């Protein structure tokens, strides 16, 4: 049961809704009084200094990377009253699993978890410090180990809708020309060339569609109660959400439901035999997307594998086709799936495959060997493979621009040895993120971004983004195109900085969105301030503009703004209600650990887990706001 918070005169000390912490990590007790402010307020990141290489770049082959403890997520908005730390009880999360029997980060062995479930789509996982294990085999070798499940404690909260309508079946949707908070370009899932593209600057800029309404104050359109998990199951991933012009679709325990984006009325429900394991954020012009799901509901005796790749029609609420693939005689269990150039591509440590989006006919499969495999793919305007080669202690990543129809390599960039994981932030222009030498130090998975020429495979620029200065996150270990706090457009990378002292009275904090030039790797000098006690996160591009969400202080509602791509002038598009009950729900939808989408005057925030943690009050998996 939720404990009452102490008086609201203390700065936040405990994390709010977000990823679970490892109980083995020592917990620092919250101070009973605000800390003494430093004599000299800490300065924010130097927004004009020249980028420096990440620590240990490039890493020498064979050097075991240091393990770092997880960084807990931020709690509700800045200045939110301190809350007591819940005790670690039954079902409290254990250590981070490795993907599908693959050793976890740094080669540590993983203990099997209940139901063999994996971390959810779009969920950035913290690492657990353990002694590195030597002698792990190269890519393509399947390790017989169950995948552990990360159990997330969902804070129960009731929502009193102020000025809106309450719906028991919730959620709505925005426009199909956008991606989710995972970053990347605007729509273009088919990659048919309409967005242009070049070896230098990549995707051409379209027209901005989001306009400020006459009244920016929003109301709660609807909410979706969190689904009840089966008896004996602690947590099930419910990640995956999409927007079209009329529908907001959200994954449930073993189904996807389409809601009217303005009223939350159910328009359709697509039943699935098992939970969704992974989903792409890309939606095609004709409202199609791709998912990976289990062939049946997991049980204690049969956890089930993520073997089924399917294409879903989000307008009709139908599954167009389902396919599987084999590696030898064994079915492939997939980590990730994407859409690019009319092709659906799915990858994992045990193999990959690609199918025609329209028909489901197999197009190609990546070549596997004892030392190389396709870890996953980035989609959108183009199709990019992240291929791992070499032994565990001498890993090398190949970033490949792939022909969607044939699988042929059009261009390739080989990263320095020792970089274990890379995430695709954008395919056109091509930008990948990596933690070089494990120097980020904050669990974000990012120390550097690499801007790569799509035609030649040559490195255009490397952008240094130290973890203590920048707040973007990528889950490159599990989901190749899962990044938050960063987006790409105008041949620039837009990234959130870490929070820092705002320079005002008391303990107020803030952060900014800044821009990097992808041709030079240098900051442009542009910055958009969050404002005192707000924290700003870029969500996606809207033509030349950046759509960003501002996480509010504990006594206000969140905001959505449009940042002009050139002037960096902010235009307020939405401000949410500041009533306590609404704030409580919104504050638990952390931008780093939730799915946040905005379009056509609608903001849709959803959780990525359903759990058996109960209370007297209702829990919600979706909350939707609107100004129209």
């Amino acid at each position: 049961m939720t404990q009452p918070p102490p008086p609201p005169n203390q700065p936040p000390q405990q994390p709010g809704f977000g990823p679970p912490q490892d109980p083995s990590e020592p917990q620092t007790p919250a101070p009973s009084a605000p800390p003494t402010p430093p004599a000299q307020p800490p300065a924010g990141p130097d927004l004009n200094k020249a980028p420096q290489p990440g620590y240990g770049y490039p890493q020498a082959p064979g050097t075991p990377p240091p393990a770092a403890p997880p960084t807990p997520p931020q709690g509700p908005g800045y200045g939110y009253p301190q809350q007591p730390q819940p005790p670690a009880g039954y079902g409290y999360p254990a250590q981070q699993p490795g993907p599908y029997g693959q050793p976890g980060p740094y080669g540590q062995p993983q203990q099997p978890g209940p139901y063999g479930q994996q971390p959810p789509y779009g969920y950035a996982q913290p690492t657990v410090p353990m002694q590195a294990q030597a002698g792990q085999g190269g890519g393509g070798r399947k390790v017989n180990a169950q995948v552990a499940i990360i159990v997330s404690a969902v804070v129960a909260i009731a929502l009193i809708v102020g000025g809106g309508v309450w719906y028991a079946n919730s959620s709505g949707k925005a426009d199909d020309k956008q991606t989710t908070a995972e970053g990347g370009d605007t729509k273009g899932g088919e990659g048919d060339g309409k967005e242009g593209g070049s070896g230098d600057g990549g995707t051409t800029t379209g027209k901005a569609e989001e306009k400020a309404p006459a009244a920016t104050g929003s109301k709660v359109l609807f909410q979706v109660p969190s689904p009840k998990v089966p008896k004996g199951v602690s947590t099930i991933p419910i990640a995956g959400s999409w927007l079209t012009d009329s529908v907001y679709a959200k994954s449930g325990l073993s189904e996807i439901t389409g809601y009217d984006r303005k009223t939350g009325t159910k328009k359709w429900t697509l039943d699935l035999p098992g939970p969704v394991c992974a989903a792409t954020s890309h939606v095609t012009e004709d409202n199609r997307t791709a998912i990976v799901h289990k062939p049946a509901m997991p049980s204690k005796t049969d956890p089930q594998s993520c073997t089924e790749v399917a294409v879903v029609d989000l307008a009709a609420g139908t599954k167009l086709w389902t396919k599987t693939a084999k590696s030898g005689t064994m079915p492939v269990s997939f980590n990730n799936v994407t859409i690019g150039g009319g092709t659906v591509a799915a990858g994992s440590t045990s193999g990959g495959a690609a199918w025609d989006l329209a028909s489901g006919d197999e197009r190609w499969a990546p070549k596997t060997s004892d030392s190389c495999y396709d870890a996953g793919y980035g989609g959108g305007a183009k199709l990019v493979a992240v291929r791992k080669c070499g032994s565990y202690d001498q890993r090398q990543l190949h970033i490949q621009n792939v022909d969607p129809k044939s699988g042929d390599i059009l261009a390739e960039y080989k990263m320095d040895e020792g970089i274990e994981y890379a995430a695709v932030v954008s395919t056109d222009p091509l930008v990948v993120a990596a933690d070089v030498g494990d120097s980020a130090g904050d669990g974000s998975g990012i120390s550097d971004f690499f801007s790569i020429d799509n035609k030649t495979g040559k490195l255009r620029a490397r952008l240094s983004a130290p973890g203590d200065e920048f707040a973007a996150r990528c889950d490159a270990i599990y989901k190749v195109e899962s990044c938050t706090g960063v987006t790409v457009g105008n041949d620039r990378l837009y990234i959130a900085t870490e929070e820092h002292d705002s320079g005002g009275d008391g303990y107020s904090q803030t952060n900014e969105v800044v821009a990097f030039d992808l041709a030079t790797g240098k900051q442009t000098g542009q910055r958009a301030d969050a404002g005192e006690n707000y924290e700003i996160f870029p969500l996606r591009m809207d033509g030349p503009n950046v759509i960003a969400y501002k996480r509010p202080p504990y006594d206000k509602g969140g905001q959505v703004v449009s940042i002009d791509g050139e002037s960096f002038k902010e235009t307020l598009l939405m401000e949410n209600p500041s009533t306590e009950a609404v704030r409580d729900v919104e504050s638990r939808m952390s931008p780093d650990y939730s799915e946040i989408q905005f379009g056509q005057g609608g903001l849709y925030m959803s959780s990525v887990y359903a759990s058996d943690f109960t209370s007297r009050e209702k829990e919600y998996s979706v909350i939707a706001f609107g100004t129209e």
Side-chain angles (χ1 to χ4, degrees):
M1 185 171 75
T2 303
Q3 299 295 322
N9 59 352
Q10 299 181 21
Q13 302 295 336
Q14 300 295 337
F17 177 84
Q21 298 185 19
D22 192 320
S24 64
E25 289 296 318
Q27 301 299 317
T28 303
S32 57
T36 302
Q40 179 65 34
D46 185 349
L47 304 179
N48 297 307
K49 73 177 184 180
Q52 299 297 322
Y55 172 75
Y57 180 88
Q59 180 180 355
T63 303
T71 300
Q74 298 300 317
Y78 300 114
Y80 194 81
Q82 172 184 328
Q83 296 183 1
Q85 180 74 17
Y90 172 76
Y92 199 80
Q95 67 191 56
Q96 170 179 294
Y100 305 97
Q102 175 91 344
Y106 317 128
Q108 71 248 29
Q110 303 298 325
Q111 298 180 5
Y115 312 108
Q117 289 167 351
Q118 59 184 341
Y121 165 71
Y123 196 92
Q125 300 289 350
T127 59
V128 178
M130 290 190 66
Q131 183 68 32
Q133 303 296 312
Q136 298 298 336
R141 294 181 181 174
K142 195 171 184 181
V143 182
N144 283 328
Q146 287 182 319
V147 180
I149 178 172
I150 299 297
V151 180
S152 173
V154 179
V155 181
I157 194 71
L159 172 61
I160 301 173
V161 177
V165 181
W166 189 93
Y167 285 84
N169 56 353
S170 55
S171 216
K173 163 169 191 169
D175 83 63
D176 62 339
K177 294 186 174 65
Q178 50 194 320
T179 58
T180 66
E182 277 69 46
D185 315 284
T186 53
K187 195 168 172 179
E190 300 256 9
D192 55 8
K194 294 179 182 178
E195 296 183 82
S198 68
D200 304 322
T203 305
T204 56
T205 301
K207 182 180 179 182
E209 297 182 358
E210 305 295 347
K211 307 296 182 183
T216 56
S218 72
K219 65 180 181 180
V220 177
L221 298 177
F222 55 87
Q223 53 190 312
V224 179
S226 184
K228 294 182 179 180
V229 300
K231 186 177 180 180
V233 179
S234 297
T235 303
I236 288 182
I238 55 170
S241 59
W242 305 268
L243 291 170
T244 69
D245 287 334
S246 59
V247 172
Y248 171 80
K250 172 65 183 170
S251 295
L253 296 185
S254 58
E255 74 281 334
I256 299 173
T257 302
Y259 302 93
D260 183 283
R261 59 183 301 273
K262 292 186 177 181
T263 67
T265 303
K266 285 186 180 181
K267 301 188 74 170
W268 50 261
T269 298
L270 173 62
D271 293 324
L272 301 171
V276 174
C277 304
T280 179
S281 62
H282 298 294
V283 179
T284 66
E285 295 292 340
D286 55 355
N287 298 320
R288 297 181 181 186
T289 193
I291 62 172
V292 176
H293 66 84
K294 294 188 176 186
M297 290 298 291
S299 66
K300 290 183 179 179
T301 57
D302 189 355
Q304 300 291 329
S305 297
C306 300
T307 56
E308 316 297 300
V309 178
V311 166
V312 176
D313 185 330
L314 295 172
T318 58
K319 187 163 59 172
L320 302 180
W321 53 258
T322 303
K323 299 292 179 179
T324 60
K326 288 186 176 181
S327 178
T329 59
M330 298 295 295
V332 176
S333 185
F334 294 102
N335 297 42
N336 52 75
V337 66
T338 195
I339 297 175
T343 293
V344 177
S348 75
T349 59
S350 58
W355 300 269
D356 181 84
L357 174 64
S359 66
D361 295 336
E362 183 170 338
R363 282 187 165 176
W364 48 267
K367 295 180 180 179
T368 59
S369 67
D370 287 341
S371 60
C372 288
Y373 64 92
D374 283 10
Y377 303 93
K382 297 183 182 295
L383 189 63
V384 172
V386 176
R387 188 167 178 82
K388 286 192 173 186
C389 291
S391 60
Y392 173 76
D393 58 350
Q394 287 186 306
R395 188 82 72 202
Q396 186 175 42
L397 301 182
H398 299 192
I399 310 301
Q400 301 173 335
N401 183 15
V402 176
D403 185 309
K405 291 182 172 57
S406 66
D408 294 340
I409 300 171
L410 304 178
E412 181 178 67
Y413 172 71
K414 295 181 180 180
M415 304 187 78
D416 290 288
E417 288 186 1
I419 301 176
E420 281 291 312
Y421 306 100
V424 178
V425 182
S426 168
T427 59
D428 191 19
L430 178 53
V431 180
V432 298
D435 187 357
V436 179
D438 300 291
S439 59
D442 61 349
S444 66
I446 305 172
S447 67
D448 298 83
F449 293 91
F450 297 79
S451 172
I452 301 168
D453 190 299
N454 249 321
K455 290 185 177 179
T456 65
K458 293 182 179 180
L459 181 68
R460 299 176 64 203
R462 188 173 64 83
L463 293 64
S464 178
D468 61 347
E469 295 185 17
F470 296 93
R473 304 179 68 92
C474 290
D475 184 18
I477 297 174
Y478 300 101
K479 311 298 179 185
V480 168
E481 57 177 1
S482 172
C483 295
T484 61
V486 62
T487 191
V488 172
N490 304 321
D491 205 31
R492 294 170 186 166
L493 181 140
Y494 301 95
I495 183 173
T497 68
E498 285 285 2
E499 60 187 281
H500 56 83
D501 190 280
S502 67
D505 296 333
Y507 302 95
S508 61
Q509 292 186 312
T510 190
N511 79 321
E512 302 82 27
V513 169
V514 298
F516 282 85
D517 188 308
L518 292 176
T520 65
K522 298 180 180 180
Q523 291 190 35
T524 64
Q526 298 165 307
R527 58 182 283 172
D529 296 319
E532 188 171 359
N533 282 333
Y534 284 88
E535 188 176 9
I536 190 169
F537 295 84
L539 298 179
R540 64 174 178 87
M541 297 302 298
D542 175 34
N545 300 336
V546 179
I547 300 298
Y549 171 73
K550 288 187 177 183
R551 197 177 190 203
Y554 78 94
D555 57 347
K556 295 182 180 179
Q559 297 179 350
V560 177
V561 297
S562 176
I563 304 171
D564 186 277
E566 292 301 326
S567 68
F568 255 48
K569 177 183 177 182
E570 297 180 36
T571 300
L572 181 65
L573 301 178
M574 171 182 290
E575 184 164 17
N576 294 335
S578 60
T579 56
E580 182 178 0
V582 175
R583 295 196 321 263
D584 285 343
V585 177
E586 181 180 5
S587 68
R588 280 153 179 82
M589 299 294 184
S590 163
D592 279 332
Y593 306 105
S594 303
E595 296 171 341
I596 301 180
Q597 304 196 52
F598 178 84
Q600 299 179 6
L603 175 67
Y604 307 89
M605 311 176 76
S606 64
S607 58
V608 294
Y609 275 126
S611 79
D612 66 349
F613 293 98
T614 59
S615 76
R616 299 177 185 176
E617 300 173 338
K618 289 196 173 185
E619 302 169 4
Y620 299 94
S621 63
V622 176
I623 183 169
F625 300 92
T627 57
E628 299 177 358

